Amino acid sequence: MCSVIGLFNVPEAAKYAYFGLFSLQHRGQEAAGIASSDGEKIYITKGRGLVTQVFDETKLTKLIGSSAVGHTRYSTAGEDSVLDAQPIFARYDLGQIAVVHNGNLTNAKQVRRELIKEGAIFQTFMDTENLIHLIARSHKEHLYDRIIEALQQIEGAYSLILLSRKKMFAVRDPYGFRPLSMAKLGDGWVVASETCAFDLIGAEYVRDIRPGELVVFEEGKEPRSIQVFEPTPHKCIFEYIYFARPDSNIFGKNVYKLRKAMGRELAKEYPVEADMVVPVPDSGVASAIGYSEESGIPFELGIIRNHYVGRTFIEPTQAIRDLKVKMKLNPIKNVIKGKRLVVIDDSIVRGTTSKKIVNILKDFGAKEVHMRISAPPTTGPCYYGVDTPTKEELISSRYSVEETRKYIGADTLAYLSIDGLLRSVGNDLSYCMACFDGNYPVPLKE
Amino acid sequence: MCSVIGLFNVPEAAKYAYFGLFSLQHRGQEAAGIASSDGEKIYITKGRGLVTQVFDETKLTKLIGSSAVGHTRYSTAGEDSVLDAQPIFARYDLGQIAVVHNGNLTNAKQVRRELIKEGAIFQTFMDTENLIHLIARSHKEHLYDRIIEALQQIEGAYSLILLSRKKMFAVRDPYGFRPLSMAKLGDGWVVASETCAFDLIGAEYVRDIRPGELVVFEEGKEPRSIQVFEPTPHKCIFEYIYFARPDSNIFGKNVYKLRKAMGRELAKEYPVEADMVVPVPDSGVASAIGYSEESGIPFELGIIRNHYVGRTFIEPTQAIRDLKVKMKLNPIKNVIKGKRLVVIDDSIVRGTTSKKIVNILKDFGAKEVHMRISAPPTTGPCYYGVDTPTKEELISSRYSVEETRKYIGADTLAYLSIDGLLRSVGNDLSYCMACFDGNYPVPLKE
Amino acid sequence: MCSVIGLFNVPEAAKYAYFGLFSLQHRGQEAAGIASSDGEKIYITKGRGLVTQVFDETKLTKLIGSSAVGHTRYSTAGEDSVLDAQPIFARYDLGQIAVVHNGNLTNAKQVRRELIKEGAIFQTFMDTENLIHLIARSHKEHLYDRIIEALQQIEGAYSLILLSRKKMFAVRDPYGFRPLSMAKLGDGWVVASETCAFDLIGAEYVRDIRPGELVVFEEGKEPRSIQVFEPTPHKCIFEYIYFARPDSNIFGKNVYKLRKAMGRELAKEYPVEADMVVPVPDSGVASAIGYSEESGIPFELGIIRNHYVGRTFIEPTQAIRDLKVKMKLNPIKNVIKGKRLVVIDDSIVRGTTSKKIVNILKDFGAKEVHMRISAPPTTGPCYYGVDTPTKEELISSRYSVEETRKYIGADTLAYLSIDGLLRSVGNDLSYCMACFDGNYPVPLKE
Amino acid sequence: MCSVIGLFNVPEAAKYAYFGLFSLQHRGQEAAGIASSDGEKIYITKGRGLVTQVFDETKLTKLIGSSAVGHTRYSTAGEDSVLDAQPIFARYDLGQIAVVHNGNLTNAKQVRRELIKEGAIFQTFMDTENLIHLIARSHKEHLYDRIIEALQQIEGAYSLILLSRKKMFAVRDPYGFRPLSMAKLGDGWVVASETCAFDLIGAEYVRDIRPGELVVFEEGKEPRSIQVFEPTPHKCIFEYIYFARPDSNIFGKNVYKLRKAMGRELAKEYPVEADMVVPVPDSGVASAIGYSEESGIPFELGIIRNHYVGRTFIEPTQAIRDLKVKMKLNPIKNVIKGKRLVVIDDSIVRGTTSKKIVNILKDFGAKEVHMRISAPPTTGPCYYGVDTPTKEELISSRYSVEETRKYIGADTLAYLSIDGLLRSVGNDLSYCMACFDGNYPVPLKE
């Protein structure tokens, strides 16, 4: 998971990119970067850490020009994150280009192999580098045509923004896996992964970039739209469940409202007699409110989240039990003691965290813990840009619901059904639910 | 506002202090420090920044011994924070001592002046230094008697923990302004500002240190209690309203539950016809749940808080409107649009932030904004350890409720009455409410 | 100017690379990097700053394997130094490669343009990237042949070390502009820019890589030598004059000894009646000793150099006169007062520093200042890897010696003649002296 | 060893203090600090590291006012260097004071014990804190009288500068152990440990503060001198041998010239047939020039010093032989090979470094190594401000010259005699040579 932002024809574009990225920080805390253009040259700064750590006034001031693209990167293990931060910048035969990418190409290895066979060199581990090579190797005269040619060779999930010295291009894959929205800011334009970025910088939402659509931004002209591919929408439903900020509209719908709807459906499908509905914060809050409203069981913020995070490897010799979970989450003993709880979470991945949460709740005196998950069991990994564990590590790929319940130690456990999930999104069938139902719209090559 | 923690007879005490301070981080983000003792010598490390920034494995490992005291410090302007971080450590005629302090002495200047007259030198701006001087100058033979003698010379608010090479002393002022609780951890003891620290490290709450009580911890003995002063409880009610973490028990009562009770009283006193109850997160959440339950108006988490804070001074030339508030709080447009909102906050200090919140809500389409404050108007500053602005800066000291309403632009505005607040805490009259009612139990000298 | 080092078949090669680079630090303080191979994979770390700042134990420990290449980079203005640090690492059709480069390609722009025309993308500003592209695009089967093919397409100055997963290749351009020596360390081999690196790590010098030679290091075999190009030696004479450490042997000759010889020749050519010979430290010391020995005028270390450097932009409003020079160099007033000085420096570039030195010497009471430069006037820029100013900025390209003397305020000024310089190096004509005589052995394309 | 500087009536005094400390950096690299006064208030910043690391433009700009004192601190093991950095600042009954100190009090523990008995608390390990306590506890009305009273209670070595809000006081102990000089800068005054500080900032040397003298700087008045103690000069001769910069005048004499004189005496006392004189840089250079001039044996800079220091704990498993010495010093193989060397160093402390130097020289082919030390054998520790090892660790306290020679592996070894040393300084008997002759002018209490 990552976030992208682009600004065109906005004075001091890099500063707006900075604030936009700040509001998209939840989509990636590992690295951040911004490239800007003043029409003559592209400027770039990227680095490890949070947006506010990578940039300061001095660095932003050097990113001159009225167009910019930015990126925040999600943590991925093992690689040198400075080299693998985005934007990727390159000089090529049409000049200079900077690209930001949210998603994952399913034929990346194949394309890379072919490019390498033709003599291309790869300096990063990022799929995005493929795209720039394809553009650079195209024999078309115009960048616009080259981008289209390149897109025809890649498969998978991509919400991309490309910045040349004088233009900006925003494009979404034909499935529309990842979100990408468009807004007006003064006389210029903004494109971003989530609409919460528009709210912060005061841009006005216009519409989503459509699946398979390429939008070209050029000075003195209105944005031009080309439907490069026939759209076959398979929008990532997990954006609603976990990734996106509740104040964002994703694929045209408000995340908070949908989460509440999922909570409501969950209450209908799996009611239980209990004293209170308690969310695992922050992602379970909206669903819990929905569950509470539907069931009539009071909502209580019975688990407190500590936001002063920071990786810690310090531990006393006599290890503190469940330390890592406790550093983030602490139940309110006085509230839950002797009570029957409906605990709402968005997913169970490996099961280890859920097990610890149930454990702590019981330790703190909860009489019953009824775990309710506002999504179906995650049975398969995502190939489209979400950093999920392998199939083997996903508890629901190996265990039945009952086995999972036993493992985590809950009194009851229930997941929202796929039908229930569909009802929450208005029975709209245009979503990808591969991680739940195994129907992968685009197969992974290798 | 600050936090203190002390551990006695706990192997690797400093590491437990570290985790305890981590859970008390909300009580001070400016500086942190820990002093430990191995019975022979006191070790100390302190510095600017968050607990996880000041300490690492290497530094903690050097803080050897089975007793420790720790401190987090709230930001105060203008002074050199490295010198003014706690614990304060000193060598004196009985050996070595380290002290941590939460509170504010009302006769600090007077005592300091007298000490200075007698030839004392002061190297910090902290009240705590007074105490060490008084202890050092006492002619009593035992530290225990000297502490008592020193306490008799200071006035105001203090929850103190003193560490000598072989003992630990915890003491609360006769008014009990600031909280201080005691717990058991293995064979040892923990003393901390809030009980949430006990939860993280797995200590078991025993009782609060009483107003005017001194508890002495000594190896091989049970903690010994001395009631140094006749208790005249004036516990800070603002701990419930704003400071403490909802999962803590303060003065024996759960913060979350009391906040809900305040929300309920507020709903009874100032009902309003509306579509939803929306808290200003995070401190307004519990009261909003209470207000919602009492009024029957649905609770909605209609404003999202961004926790990736960080001071920013970067702004485009064409300043983004209400930038600072927006970086922290973003309303969900889709949820509030066209709706009549009851917005719950814990206090209005200068009025500027509330004005901006109302402004953004209206911008985002809220039809009506009914501001409800879960506490009475703040009309006076605190002299007992809370960093409030001067009386002149407090909007409620100059403006009536109606004038304040106009200033912030809300449709209606109401504060919980003092009676309502009292009802929320079970009509217990042992609280200090000086910031609301002007009854200062201890006058400020100068 | 930069430095390179390579180690093959040396356990913990990266750690030896680290110490080697430490001793080559004088050839570049802007950035440093090391890539290692364990036979299966290439590992890399690079960053801004001194070798000791970029690396720590943890980072070095991750660079596993028994072969490694390293680089220190000289400051060049304007570009993002993280991206432009070396080694350059790439994946390509034969696997993985890391390259370090000292020098400057004269047809870099041309080659780059052609590569770009063929669809290559460039992510850095470094010439080295050209080479990797050429290797990757070659249709030869073996890396060895590809390197040769690539070398045939580049022109200019290069001392290169290439690391693949299983082999290492060291090569010097046919002119041999930049030095590159070879040594034995245990069962393995070391290649480095200067022999002082061998001294530190205890490697035994074997011989120099020859101009136009490629040496291949492969496990279980003796290093294999291929004379790729007919050697037409034009070794950079400026290495002796300024760059190299006096304890290094460059092109088979000891730098310190040659500098002394230059000083001697200078004394023969431009004797003067004076009281003492004073070097501008550190680079002028050896020549000054030579001048003193030849002339019989006593050598005095009359100017002290402060090595606690650090860029400073702080200055009082009432600026300190000649601050920047004074922070680095301070004459000993008591020694020079009333004395006639022969001041020995290695070159006059823009003239501004020399002017300030003369100024300070006179301020401190020097009776006469006879400036003697241990090299001919620098009249042209270097295209072969030295970061010289443009021709216009070089004072000797615009001013006669007499005009320069007037400008810097010296009583007399003399430069070592080209003949004198040649005599110092034993009348060996195999040196490039383009910066002095304008005879550029390889023209700059564009 | 440390350095102090003070400025009075100099606009932007703190900035001049910064540059002064930069030139005094060789007297202490562990910590640095500056306190300034604008006549109303004292401002202070101090921290760990080099002067250029502790201060930046922002921090210096906050140190307002036209008087300032500064300090650089030499590394001492084991204590928290932030707390123990200077200046020490305190509020006391006459207001505010900041003190910097170079030296060591011989009755510090005794005075501290008495102060502690009277109720004083000590927050640092620095002797300087004693002085402030004594001043604060004095019953005299004026600071001036109190300083005198305090001085009468302390013993040992001190060159002190005290800054109050409106005045500055500079004082040297009656023995004049450590240097302290005075200069004019514009309408104001500068006091500093070494005259090289004056050179950098353009101040004009006036005279040394005399042993036992107190100089008072007050606005609108000429500096006022009081001879507090009868002077009994015992100036530290080691300042000439090792500490001071060669361009400084110490106790009125130029360091470089004296070092040359020592080298000359050494040549007279201990001639040897050899091919070259080689200094251990940097401190041995001047003596080596002297030895060379006297003996007629050519001077060669045969050992090169690497100034890119930095503590390193990284080492390959197969440790590099003599790594730490080699990282700093590298002989020029080509120069010394087959030669008979006279190696000049300033002292042999534990003998381990000398042993390694001889070892490396022999490894590199030196035929003979004749070690000559430009000072007598160091047989005792210094109690007056020099961080020497204990008597047991000093090789010359346990070994004869011949035993030492064997240990270090030199062919011959000789030390300058005490008489020779005295001749070098013009047979001036006013020096302390306790570390050589055991005549401690002030005994260490405890």
Side-chain angles (χ1 to χ4, degrees), chain C residues 67-135:
Chain C
S67 62
V69 292
H71 190 267
T72 65
R73 181 176 171 76
Y74 197 74
S75 163
T76 52
E79 304 307 336
D80 184 322
S81 61
V82 176
L83 297 177
D84 283 354
Q86 296 200 24
I88 299 197
F89 166 69
R91 269 146 293 217
Y92 73 118
D93 66 331
L94 297 187
Q96 303 185 349
I97 196 165
V99 183
V100 292
H101 174 207
N102 176 23
N104 200 54
L105 304 185
T106 49
N107 67 341
K109 285 191 180 170
Q110 205 175 63
V111 169
R112 182 169 280 221
R113 213 165 33 231
E114 278 158 32
L115 283 163
I116 273 178
K117 215 185 293 167
E118 293 165 20
I121 65 172
F122 281 81
Q123 299 187 43
T124 78
F125 282 95
M126 293 180 289
D127 294 359
T128 326
E129 211 177 348
N130 289 3
L131 191 81
I132 300 184
H133 275 294
L134 292 172
I135 290 169

Side-chain angles (χ1 to χ4, degrees), chain B residues 28 120 144 228 240 270 409 431:
Chain B
Y144 164 83
V228 181
Y240 292 140
Y270 297 101
Y431 290 99

